[in-house]
Amino acid sequence: MSAELILVVEDEPKLAALVRDYLHAAGFRSEWLADGRLALERLRTGPMPAAVLLDVMLPGLDGLEVCRAVRAFSDVPILINSARVEELDRLLGLELGADDYVCKPFSPRELVARVKALLRRAQGRLAPVTLVPAAGGFAVDEAGQRILWHEQALSLTPVEFRLLRQLLQHPGRVFERAQLLDLIHEDFRDVSDRVVDSHVKNIRRKLAALDPPQECIASVYGVGYRLDAA
Ligand code: CA
């Protein structure tokens, strides 16, 4: 079971670094974004973090707008923080769907305690994760956009997730690079078959890091790739 991921959205680098240090010390993983619009995009397209720490005053899009937009597609726990008490009043008045808030300046220790409390509450409300068994001892968690090999979760980008899922769902079938390219929506601007190769290379590297290493993606010369289930 890998550590839970917390997305830190904060435009003050020093504060973000401090918060992340405390999160890591408490056993969490973290990602940091300093721009509201990028944070929203990240939450729309990437694997969902366990919780979001959201500053209000942000470049791009303010935290309240981010919160409102996220609630249209996700129940991810959101902890808002702001230096301005009147913003927090506004936040509560608008009922944007934030789960909790803290006033700046806050103690990082208190922030981490709030995150833990948020996750405990969220666990009671979230549906259990459904793992769909796939070929070769793998399982696909569609809701969490994760792929596991026995108990070990692979840390995949969204594109890598889609590619590996496709191969796993059709073991033994050869996919041409062009077919796999259709799965890589983000990279349409760069429409070289080599893009597929570089993603497959990264997936293979991650499979090789499993214990024991898995080498289940076969290259089919001149055509593409195939998953060989053990
Ligand atoms: Ca700020």
Side-chain angles (χ1 to χ4, degrees):
M1 191 67 195
S2 61
E4 289 172 299
L5 176 68
I6 311 297
L7 178 63
V8 177
V9 188
E10 169 60 64
D11 60 334
E12 291 172 49
K14 279 184 186 165
L15 180 57
L18 180 67
V19 166
R20 296 182 74 192
D21 281 349
Y22 272 79
L23 287 171
H24 299 164
F28 294 106
R29 292 181 298 133
S30 73
E31 261 180 57
W32 171 46
L33 288 171
D35 177 289
R37 201 169 296 280
L38 292 179
L40 180 57
E41 196 52 34
R42 159 68 184 80
L43 288 164
R44 275 214 175 99
T45 56
M48 197 52 74
V52 181
L53 297 185
L54 189 56
D55 186 24
V56 172
M57 294 292 283
L58 289 168
L61 193 63
D62 84 36
L64 304 186
E65 295 301 324
V66 173
C67 187
R68 191 205 312 268
V70 168
R71 278 296 171 258
F73 62 88
S74 174
D75 285 336
V76 62
I78 297 177
L79 178 66
I80 294 247
N81 48 75
S82 172
R84 295 194 192 164
V85 175
E86 60 270 25
E87 277 170 352
L88 295 173
D89 288 346
R90 187 177 145 219
L91 166 70
L92 293 176
L94 289 173
E95 294 182 344
L96 290 169
D99 295 86
D100 199 0
Y101 65 92
V102 289
C103 294
K104 285 181 175 178
F106 48 75
S107 102
R109 200 181 302 276
E110 189 206 340
L111 193 73
V112 169
R114 296 280 197 105
V115 169
K116 286 180 176 172
L118 216 54
L119 293 178
R120 275 197 301 274
R121 266 187 277 153
Q123 266 153 18
R125 149 189 112 192
L126 292 175
V129 171
T130 309
L131 292 177
V132 180
F138 288 89
V140 179
D141 164 16
E142 285 287 344
Q145 299 268 294
R146 295 183 311 156
I147 291 176
L148 293 89
W149 186 76
H150 297 287
E151 295 294 296
Q152 301 172 59
L154 287 158
S155 174
L156 301 170
T157 66
V159 167
E160 290 164 8
F161 171 80
R162 290 198 291 272
L163 284 175
L164 182 55
R165 179 182 56 183
Q166 182 76 2
L167 293 170
L168 283 170
Q169 285 172 344
H170 307 277
R173 175 173 159 192
V174 178
F175 285 91
E176 296 175 16
R177 286 187 177 79
Q179 291 175 307
L180 294 173
L181 197 58
D182 287 344
L183 297 168
I184 310 175
H185 309 296
E186 284 103 306
D187 291 338
F188 272 150
R189 284 162 292 131
D190 183 14
V191 284
S192 158
D193 286 2
R194 298 298 133 202
V195 172
V196 174
D197 295 341
S198 87
H199 286 297
V200 169
K201 188 175 162 198
N202 288 335
I203 295 170
R204 278 179 167 153
R205 185 168 44 75
K206 292 172 181 180
L207 290 170
L210 291 169
D211 180 23
Q214 299 300 301
E215 296 173 359
C216 49
I217 300 180
S219 298
V220 181
Y221 184 74
V223 185
Y225 297 98
R226 179 187 68 218
L227 186 105
D228 287 336

